[in-house]
């Protein structure tokens, strides 16, 4: 079905034989027609797009604006307590209905011609529908129920609100896969979260380069040298990566060798900075507790197409990957705490947040490295990357010296794109 | 006092813009709070920062990490710092001030772009030989950071 993308190039799709996941041709990161096809087949296709956190819209009438790919979306909580999502596009002439990032409102009125919508996105009022003093107005056959922005199916899992524009999307548990569900529940189940900060990072690269980066367990210790430079020894010798059956979702983890033990002992053992001349002066930033009680100090989890949950020690964040152009991506970070955090635990999260985000000691490089690829491949549209570490398949691995989860991404990508 | 405050801000900006990052922690008290956040976070009272340092040592660690560990393309800033608006001056010499800033970033290819605008919300105290920041809350106007935030604001 590759031919359904009008390539404009002589058979580039043929250079990506069916069933190949250990290479990705660079034209995928460069072409407008690919980006348009992704919007239609992925973001509006049979996927669950992460939209917002339930905690961001706790009360009836609360709303937040977000995106499903490039589609602007409003997510609301109606008076019935249920969450709804609809395209942020007036049925009349296409203007944005909601202009605020978040708020509380019983209904939403488009500023252009005052068409009015309820919290479920149903058209409730049309200005001058019956004209003025018997003149003008909508024609006799006009029916409000026939007009409205597109509605998304909504599902909530562990406080994460997902939306889909496809009628045949699998139930969320099935979509995530049993193991990824468990890894999500491990961090988020049964504990009300609180947003402690949110930032947007503009990445100078195609969204898929970040989707690869997140699934890339190979680069972590090679690109991000903060820990090794300062000789910070961590009890993180073991790890693994699991990949969902369809390839699209993954969770990678690093385990502490000490799986049990008293928390303060864990904290003091976990941190040692002894690289002679180069020493971290204030180690308090690296103090952490084993709050999940399983010794996993780092877990990165992704859900196709654009969701990431990160647990790095006690620094918990969700990231939303949104394409804004062929070579530009918005990465929305939401840093989380839990409602039952002690002040000490909360402070620990705030200090550890120095590790992540656009200025993070162990993540700032990710903001730039996608751009290095985007620039590096400028004249290499017909060539491909090499994604062969750990073999050619997309299986789960009990180590991280593999690019299995990146291959998994491409497998899911090809399935959704019919490519 | 106002002149000393202007001088402090000018020296601070010059240390960063002239790539004397090692001098930067010296503008802070030992038990300072330095945070980089955005107006959207600030208005909602959300505590997390892009950078969150509650000691001068943490600032020195950041400089060391930028020099020795982190990977980023060569770049520099040009700070344009406004006239400090003194919000409160107590008799012991403590000050609260708000000061606008504009930071241009010059990248390796030579492009010069507006990187950040915002306000420094400061608490300043006399500390030994001079004025030092007890709190410097860097509140960026935009919620958006382009690519990465390596050098401090």
């Amino acid at each position: 079905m590759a031919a359904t993308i009008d390539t404009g190039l002589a058979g580039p799709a043929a250079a990506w034989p069916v069933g190949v996941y250990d290479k990705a041709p660079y034209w995928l990161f460069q072409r407008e027609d690919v980006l348009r096809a992704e919007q239609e087949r992925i973001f509006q296709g049979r996927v669950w797009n992460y939209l917002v956190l339930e905690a961001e819209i706790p009360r009836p009438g609360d709303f937040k604006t977000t995106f499903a790919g490039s589609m602007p979306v409003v997510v609301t909580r109606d008076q019935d307590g249920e969450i709804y999502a609809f395209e942020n596009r007036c049925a009349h002439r296409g203007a944005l209905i909601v202009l605020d990032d978040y708020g509380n409102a019983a209904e939403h009125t488009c500023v252009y011609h005052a068409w009015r919508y309820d919290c479920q996105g149903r058209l409730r009022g049309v200005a001058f529908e019956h004209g003025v003093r018997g003149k003008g107005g909508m024609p006799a056959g006009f029916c409000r129920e026939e007009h409205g922005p597109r509605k998304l199916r909504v599902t909530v899992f562990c406080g994460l609100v997902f939306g889909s524009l496809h009628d045949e999307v699998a139930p969320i548990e099935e979509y995530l896969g049993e193991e990824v569900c468990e890894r999500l529940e491990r961090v988020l189940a049964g504990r009300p979260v609180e947003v402690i900060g949110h930032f947007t990072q503009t990445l100078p690269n195609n969204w898929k380069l970040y989707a690869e980066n997140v699934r890339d367990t190979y680069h972590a210790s090679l690109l991000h040298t903060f820990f090794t430079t300062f000789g910070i020894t961590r009890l993180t010798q073991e790890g693994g990566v699991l990949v969902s059956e369809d390839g699209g979702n993954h969770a990678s983890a690093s385990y502490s060798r000490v799986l049990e033990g008293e928390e303060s002992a864990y904290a003091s053992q976990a941190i040692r900075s002894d690289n002679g001349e180069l020493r971290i002066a204030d180690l308090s930033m690296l103090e952490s507790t084993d709050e999940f009680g399983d010794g996993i100090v780092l877990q990165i989890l992704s859900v196709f197409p654009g969701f990431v949950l990160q647990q790095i020690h006690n620094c918990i964040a969700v990231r939303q990957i949104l394409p804004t152009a062929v070579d530009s991506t918005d990465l929305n970070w939401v840093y989380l705490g839990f409602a039952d955090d002690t002040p000490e635990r909360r402070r620990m999260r705030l200090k550890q947040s120095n590790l992540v985000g656009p200025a993070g000691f162990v993540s700032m490089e990710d903001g730039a490295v996608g751009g290095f690829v985007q620039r590096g491949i400028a004249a290499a549209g017909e060539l491909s990357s090499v994604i062969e570490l750990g073999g050619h398949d997309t299986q789960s691995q009990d180590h991280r010296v593999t690019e299995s989860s990146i291959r998994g991404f491409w497998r899911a990508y090809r399935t959704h794109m019919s490519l | 006092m106002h002149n000393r405050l202007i001088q402090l801000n000018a020296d601070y900006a010059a240390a960063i813009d002239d790539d004397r990052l090692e001098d930067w922690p010296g503008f802070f008290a030992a038990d300072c709070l330095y945070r980089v956040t955005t107006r959207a976070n600030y208005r909602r009272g959300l505590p997390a920062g892009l950078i969150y340092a509650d000691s001068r040592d943490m600032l020195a660690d950041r400089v060391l990490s930028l020099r020795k560990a982190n990977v980023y393309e060569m770049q520099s800033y040009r700070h344009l710092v406004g006239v400090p608006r003194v919000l409160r001056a107590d008799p012991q010499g403590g000050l609260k001030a708000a000061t606008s800033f504009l930071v241009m970033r010059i990248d390796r290819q030579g492009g010069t772009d507006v990187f950040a605008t915002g306000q420094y919300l400061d608490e300043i105290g006399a500390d030994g030989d001079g004025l030092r920041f007890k709190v410097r809350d860097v509140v960026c106007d935009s919620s958006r950071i382009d690519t990465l935030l390596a050098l401090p604001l």
Side-chain angles (χ1 to χ4, degrees), chain A residues 37 62 64 77 133 137 150 202 214 262 265 312 329 339 350 368 371:
Chain A
D62 283 353
K64 187 170 188 296
R77 191 184 289 273
R133 290 189 215 98
R150 285 174 280 188
T202 309
V214 155
E262 197 245 319
I312 299 177
T329 299
L350 294 175

Coordinates of all heavy atoms in Angstrom, one line a residue, chain A residues 37 62 64 77 133 137 150 202 214 262 265 312 329 339 350 368 371:
Chain A
A37 N 0.1 12.3 5.8 CA -0.4 10.9 5.9 C -0.4 10.5 7.4 O -1.2 9.7 7.8 CB 0.5 10.0 5.1
D62 N -14.4 22.0 34.1 CA -12.9 22.3 33.8 C -12.6 21.8 32.4 O -13.2 20.9 31.9 CB -12.1 21.5 34.8 CG -12.0 22.1 36.2 OD1 -12.5 23.2 36.4 OD2 -11.4 21.5 37.1
K64 N -9.3 21.8 29.3 CA -7.9 22.1 28.9 C -7.8 21.9 27.4 O -8.4 20.9 26.9 CB -7.0 21.1 29.6 CG -5.5 21.5 29.4 CD -4.6 20.7 30.3 CE -3.1 21.1 30.3 NZ -2.5 20.9 29.0
R77 N -14.5 18.3 31.4 CA -15.3 17.4 32.3 C -16.7 18.1 32.5 O -16.8 19.2 32.9 CB -14.6 17.4 33.7 CG -15.2 16.3 34.6 CD -14.6 16.3 36.0 NE -13.2 15.8 36.0 CZ -12.8 14.5 36.1 NH1 -13.7 13.6 36.2 NH2 -11.6 14.2 36.2
R133 N -35.9 40.3 13.2 CA -37.2 40.8 12.8 C -37.7 40.1 11.5 O -38.0 40.8 10.5 CB -37.1 42.3 12.6 CG -37.0 43.0 13.9 CD -37.2 44.6 13.7 NE -36.3 45.3 14.6 CZ -35.1 45.8 14.3 NH1 -34.7 45.7 13.1 NH2 -34.4 46.4 15.2
G137 N -31.2 34.9 8.8 CA -31.2 33.7 9.6 C -30.9 32.4 8.8 O -30.7 32.5 7.6
R150 N -15.7 17.4 15.4 CA -15.5 16.0 15.6 C -15.3 15.6 17.0 O -14.6 16.3 17.7 CB -14.4 15.4 14.7 CG -14.7 15.4 13.2 CD -13.5 15.0 12.4 NE -12.7 16.1 12.2 CZ -11.6 16.1 11.3 NH1 -11.3 15.0 10.7 NH2 -10.9 17.2 11.2
T202 N 10.7 23.1 22.4 CA 10.6 23.0 20.9 C 11.8 22.3 20.4 O 12.9 22.7 20.7 CB 10.6 24.4 20.3 OG1 9.6 25.2 21.0 CG2 10.3 24.4 18.8
V214 N 13.5 8.3 22.7 CA 12.8 7.9 24.0 C 13.0 6.4 24.1 O 13.1 5.8 25.2 CB 11.4 8.3 24.0 CG1 10.5 7.4 24.9 CG2 11.3 9.8 24.4
E262 N 16.5 -0.7 53.8 CA 16.1 0.5 54.4 C 16.4 1.7 53.5 O 17.4 1.8 52.9 CB 16.8 0.6 55.8 CG 16.2 1.6 56.8 CD 17.1 2.7 57.0 OE1 18.4 2.5 57.1 OE2 16.6 3.8 57.1
A265 N 19.6 3.9 53.8 CA 20.8 3.1 53.4 C 20.8 3.1 51.8 O 21.9 3.3 51.3 CB 20.7 1.7 53.9
I312 N 12.5 8.8 36.9 CA 14.0 8.8 37.1 C 14.1 9.1 38.6 O 13.9 10.2 39.1 CB 14.7 9.8 36.2 CG1 14.5 9.5 34.8 CG2 16.2 9.9 36.6 CD1 15.1 10.5 33.8
T329 N 9.0 19.9 16.5 CA 8.2 19.1 17.3 C 8.0 19.8 18.7 O 9.0 20.4 19.2 CB 8.9 17.7 17.6 OG1 9.1 17.0 16.4 CG2 8.1 16.9 18.6
A339 N -0.3 13.4 45.7 CA -1.0 14.2 46.7 C -0.5 13.9 48.1 O -0.6 14.8 49.0 CB -2.5 14.0 46.6
L350 N 11.6 18.2 43.4 CA 12.0 19.5 42.8 C 13.5 19.5 42.5 O 13.9 20.0 41.5 CB 11.6 20.6 43.8 CG 10.1 20.8 44.0 CD1 9.9 21.9 45.1 CD2 9.4 21.2 42.7
A368 N 18.8 18.5 21.6 CA 19.6 19.0 20.5 C 19.9 17.8 19.5 O 20.1 18.0 18.3 CB 20.9 19.6 21.0
G371 N 18.0 17.4 16.4 CA 18.4 18.4 15.4 C 19.7 18.1 14.7 O 19.8 18.4 13.5

